[in-house]
Amino acid sequence: MTTVTIATTTAGARPLADTLTMLRRNLLRAVRYPGLTSFTIAIPVILLLLFVFVFGGAFGAGVMPGVAPGADGRAAYLDYITPAILLFAVVGAAQSVAITAAMDATSGIMARFKTMAISSGSVLGGPVLGTVVQGLVAVAVVLGLAVALGYRPHAGGLGWLALAGLLALVTFALSWLCVAMGLSAPSVETASNTPMILTALPFLGSGFVPVETMPAGVRWFAEYQPLTPIIETTRALLAGTPLNTSTTLQALAWSVLIAALGYAWSRALYRRERR
Amino acid sequence: MTSNLAVDVRGLRKSYGDLTVLDGVDLAVEAGTVTALLGPNGAGKTTAVGVLSTLLKADAGTVRVAGHDVVAQPEAVRASIGVTGQMSAVDDLLTGVENLRLMASLHHLGRHDGRERADALLAQFGLTDAARKPVSTWSGGMRRKLDLAMTLVGAPAVVFLDEPTTGLDPRSRRTLWDEVRALVAAGTTILLTTQYLEEADQLADRVAVLDGGRIVAEGTPAELKSTHDAGSLDDVFLRLTEPTPEPSADPTTKEVAR
Ligand SMILES: Nc1ncnc2c1ncn2[C@@H]1O[C@H](COP(=O)(O)OP(=O)(O)OP(=O)(O)O)[C@@H](O)[C@H]1O
Ligand SMILES: [Mg+2]
């Protein structure tokens, strides 16, 4: 994970130590300003409750043929959407780093960092790693709630480890993309606009309803968009069923690609002159 | 060659679109001295400091800081400088002591030394009492002092201060002057901008006046006063810099007044 963060070694800078310093700063800020973090955790929690208790009774019968609407439907739907809600938590955490990055870029503190012997990977990598921590906390909270509502994962020890690794990687990748989006925003207020697109992704996939039920164009997008293999791999890991090699590789490849693009874009924006 | 120059600027040009801000600036600051860069609002002082501190890219010219070229060796320049910009550059959500310890960590001072350095700077700038409160609750002048303290954590060889005393009360301003003198006595080179010409008179070994994109006068405060037959640097400044055009009467003003 840190290999991407410390890709360039610069004289005077100590990339690993500087990244950890910036991570510490980011976590400290999250504690001082818990509003953003609580918000990113509250959204998937509300979504889970909404989808299970309001839509679940009817939708469950739709996604699981043979299940009766009502309580059985709710249980079936909880089972079906929990993986997608976890991805929603991950996406929400990543989006918040766009605001964090824009706050730094507009406040003058980033200008100070730029005049110091610290690499861009460290200045921006700290918040990214902090977001991975926040994303995993959000995932744990949502998963805990799902279990309290009756969800029963069947992952083994290795499965849990793989799940944490996958979700950390996805948060890491999306966070780099969101850092770039935050840096390209002219103000803090507009920083969350572009990342908003990501909110739609868990819906436009196999997370909430089977893609077979969608019209051709939407279905095509849903089948090939990056979050679909990620959600399916998450689903399989939670269910403890064998992984589909091709789907898993797609999930990993998308994550690495998004991380690389987001990282390169962020670095370019960091050294850009701000207007 | 000119190895004792801490800042060596030749033919520096910088424009924003059609607006040429720096139009061939030459500036030399000898190591261990203080130079004050003066100039009317919008003359390009902040832009010049931006180029010198690797924040902005020059369109033409060569700029060397602490012996390193800002384009070829930006990391070496960054490792040698400390910058207090015109804009506040503190972390509002952290406390004063946390801000300083953050700087200490980024300068790899180590836990013990970092804490000592932070405490010493807090005491030096009279911020010890407020040190454990979030900076967002501090007054403007206190934040300015923290900004300066953060710049000094790494004991930089060359320090750029862009209007460092703006917003400071007279006592704090004098404290800062003493601080600058102490730094210079210890061998630090300082380039500062200021609108308080008394400050330049008090502190600077040399003064450079930037106007119309160029350095229009350069010398010791005494030299400038005698060449321009002026009693104070204020008079020198007024004689050298063109008057800013009066803002044309705003037609809406009358409408509102009516
Ligand atoms: N990012 C930018 N984009 C466009 N124009 C800019 C930008 N930054 C500065 N300028 C212009 O460049 C000129 C010089 O600005 P600068 O801030 O360097 O002046 P200054 O001498 O520091 O002024 P002051 O005494 O008010 O601080 C001004 O006309 C300003 O409008
Ligand atoms: Mg200025």
Side-chain angles (χ1 to χ4, degrees), chain A residues 12 14 18 21-22 25 28-29 32-33 106-109 111-118 271 273 275, chain B residues 14 16 53 55-57 78 83 87-91 93-94 98 102-103 105-108 147 151:
Chain A
R14 288 193 211 154
D18 293 346
T21 299
M22 290 302 189
R25 165 178 181 256
L28 198 53
R29 282 173 63 88
R32 291 291 150 74
Y33 183 58
T106 52
S107 78
I109 189 101
R112 179 184 285 286
F113 294 147
K114 285 194 216 174
T115 66
M116 298 173 66
I118 324 165
R271 286 291 170 205
E273 291 183 9
R275 295 252 134 185
Chain B
K14 170 81 185 169
Y16 292 107
S53 55
L55 279 175
L56 303 175
K57 285 184 190 68
R78 288 175 196 135
V83 187
M87 186 183 170
S88 165
V90 300
D91 189 326
L93 295 184
L94 304 188
E98 285 165 349
L102 171 67
M103 289 300 120
S105 299
L106 292 172
H107 283 105
H108 316 120
D147 220 328
T151 299

Side-chain angles (χ1 to χ4, degrees), chain B residues 121-134:
Chain B
L121 282 163
L122 285 165
Q124 211 167 323
F125 283 88
L127 297 170
T128 307
D129 290 344
R132 276 157 217 285
K133 297 194 185 104

Side-chain angles (χ1 to χ4, degrees), chain B residues 112-147:
Chain B
H112 181 257
D113 290 356
R115 283 173 183 236
E116 274 192 348
R117 185 95 181 112
D119 290 347
L121 282 163
L122 285 165
Q124 211 167 323
F125 283 88
L127 297 170
T128 307
D129 290 344
R132 276 157 217 285
K133 297 194 185 104
V135 174
S136 54
T137 66
W138 287 21
S139 79
M142 289 162 70
R143 296 158 59 96
R144 195 68 188 145
K145 287 187 237 177
L146 178 64
D147 220 328

Side-chain angles (χ1 to χ4, degrees), chain B residues 4 29 37 51 61 90 105 119 130 152 188 200 204 206 209 237 247:
Chain B
N4 59 337
V29 179
L37 183 62
V51 174
V90 300
S105 299
D119 290 347
L152 301 180
T188 309
R206 299 187 79 81
V209 183
F237 184 91

Side-chain angles (χ1 to χ4, degrees), chain A residues 55-175:
Chain A
F55 306 136
F59 284 17
V63 298
M64 246 355 126
V67 168
D72 284 355
R74 267 198 294 284
Y77 200 53
L78 174 66
D79 208 46
Y80 188 79
I81 61 162
T82 297
I85 302 280
L86 294 187
L87 259 298
F88 211 90
V90 158
V91 168
Q95 283 173 325
S96 73
V97 82
I99 297 173
T100 308
M103 278 170 86
D104 279 354
T106 52
S107 78
I109 189 101
M110 198 174 273
R112 179 184 285 286
F113 294 147
K114 285 194 216 174
T115 66
M116 298 173 66
I118 324 165
S119 77
S120 52
S122 299
V123 174
L124 304 173
V128 166
L129 294 184
T131 307
V132 171
V133 174
Q134 292 184 40
L136 289 179
V137 169
V139 163
V141 169
V142 173
L143 202 55
L145 177 66
V147 168
L149 295 179
Y151 177 67
R152 291 293 169 260
H154 298 285
L158 252 151
W160 284 116
L161 220 59
L163 181 71
L166 175 69
L167 293 181
L169 177 68
V170 173
T171 320
F172 180 78
L174 292 175
S175 295

Side-chain angles (χ1 to χ4, degrees), chain B residues 16-191:
Chain B
Y16 292 107
D18 289 341
L19 177 72
T20 300
V21 179
L22 303 175
D23 192 15
V25 168
D26 297 312
L27 185 68
V29 179
E30 236 177 90
T33 67
V34 185
T35 292
L37 183 62
L38 310 181
N41 293 136
K45 302 179 295 296
T46 298
T47 304
V49 170
V51 174
L52 266 55
S53 55
T54 77
L55 279 175
L56 303 175
K57 285 184 190 68
D59 298 332
T62 58
V63 176
R64 296 181 72 82
V65 175
H68 310 289
D69 187 283
V70 292
V71 179
Q73 302 147 294
E75 286 305 321
V77 171
R78 288 175 196 135
S80 320
I81 63 173
V83 187
T84 298
Q86 193 167 0
M87 186 183 170
S88 165
V90 300
D91 189 326
D92 270 332
L93 295 184
L94 304 188
T95 66
V97 71
E98 285 165 349
N99 266 287
L100 287 167
R101 285 182 189 169
L102 171 67
M103 289 300 120
S105 299
L106 292 172
H107 283 105
H108 316 120
L109 288 191
R111 193 179 167 84
H112 181 257
D113 290 356
R115 283 173 183 236
E116 274 192 348
R117 185 95 181 112
D119 290 347
L121 282 163
L122 285 165
Q124 211 167 323
F125 283 88
L127 297 170
T128 307
D129 290 344
R132 276 157 217 285
K133 297 194 185 104
V135 174
S136 54
T137 66
W138 287 21
S139 79
M142 289 162 70
R143 296 158 59 96
R144 195 68 188 145
K145 287 187 237 177
L146 178 64
D147 220 328
L148 292 158
M150 285 167 75
T151 299
L152 301 180
V153 169
V158 181
V159 175
F160 300 126
L161 305 174
D162 196 358
E163 302 201 15
T165 57
T166 301
L168 293 192
D169 63 49
R171 185 184 309 282
S172 301
R173 183 170 301 155
R174 273 166 184 74
T175 309
L176 182 83
W177 291 357
D178 292 341
E179 184 57 38
V180 167
R181 291 190 185 106
L183 284 170
V184 172
T188 309
T189 308
I190 296 182
L191 177 67

